[in-house]
Amino acid sequence: MIEDNAEQLTRAVIDELEKNPRTPAYHKLTREEIRHRVYDVYHNLGNWLGHETEEVLESFYTRLGRERSADNIPLSEVICALTITKNRLFEYARSAGMVDSVVDLYEQQELRLLVSSFFDRAIFYTARGYERESIPAREASQLAAKI
């Protein structure tokens, strides 16, 4: 379901990132840059939820954090973008009317727990990658200032 609707979900996130006052650095990116970043998350979410190892998730999001740091996008905005991505997914699931029975409701709640756990870990690894990229740069800058 998620992968099948990745493009629609991605458009909703792009629209919000472009106008959200909490993500001004994303306002400077092209729609295509944002689309590529968000689409990857939705398109691969099913694999990451059920099949990929923690190491794959850690590697992807640590790299994402390093890239956002190198792009000079504030960490708070990166975390906000990931949260928007998660929330749009929840809104889509709720509005898609996937609940026809108690079993469906249980499955939707299970999915919500899995997705929340996924995004919690994604945010952690992104922040760690961001810090690993920015701390050496900051240390080099401080060292250069002393010389």
Side-chain angles (χ1 to χ4, degrees), residues 88-108:
R88 285 287 174 220
L89 177 60
F90 289 151
E91 289 171 21
Y92 174 79
R94 189 176 56 247
S95 69
M98 298 177 0
V99 181
D100 292 328
S101 68
V102 173
V103 173
D104 290 342
L105 180 61
Y106 174 78
E107 288 175 353
Q108 189 178 41

Side-chain angles (χ1 to χ4, degrees), residues 79-143:
I79 291 171
C80 185
L82 287 168
T83 303
I84 288 168
T85 303
K86 175 182 74 171
N87 290 338
R88 285 287 174 220
L89 177 60
F90 289 151
E91 289 171 21
Y92 174 79
R94 189 176 56 247
S95 69
M98 298 177 0
V99 181
D100 292 328
S101 68
V102 173
V103 173
D104 290 342
L105 180 61
Y106 174 78
E107 288 175 353
Q108 189 178 41
Q109 286 184 324
E110 273 299 303
L111 177 64
R112 189 174 182 90
L113 288 172
L114 280 171
V115 169
S116 291
S117 175
F118 166 82
F119 275 98
D120 289 348
R121 295 184 342 258
I123 288 169
F124 169 77
Y125 291 129
T126 300
R128 190 162 72 180
Y130 193 99
E131 291 168 345
R132 287 180 178 170
E133 180 68 24
S134 62
I135 289 172
R138 189 174 38 229
E139 289 173 350
S141 174
Q142 289 171 350
L143 182 61

Side-chain angles (χ1 to χ4, degrees), residues 4 14 16 27 49 52 64 70 103 110 115 127 129 138:
D4 295 339
I14 292 169
E16 183 161 349
H27 302 177
L49 287 176
E52 297 294 351
L64 177 82
V103 173
E110 273 299 303
V115 169
R138 189 174 38 229

Side-chain angles (χ1 to χ4, degrees), residues 36-83:
H36 174 70
R37 295 169 182 195
V38 174
Y39 182 82
D40 281 348
V41 173
Y42 286 138
H43 186 69
N44 294 307
L45 190 60
N47 285 336
W48 286 332
L49 287 176
H51 308 293
E52 297 294 351
T53 63
E54 188 72 15
E55 291 79 23
V56 172
L57 183 70
E58 178 180 2
S59 174
F60 181 87
Y61 282 97
T62 299
R63 185 178 75 245
L64 177 82
R66 288 178 184 267
E67 290 170 359
R68 296 305 165 266
S69 177
D71 293 341
N72 293 314
I73 297 176
L75 181 58
S76 59
E77 293 185 44
V78 176
I79 291 171
C80 185
L82 287 168
T83 303

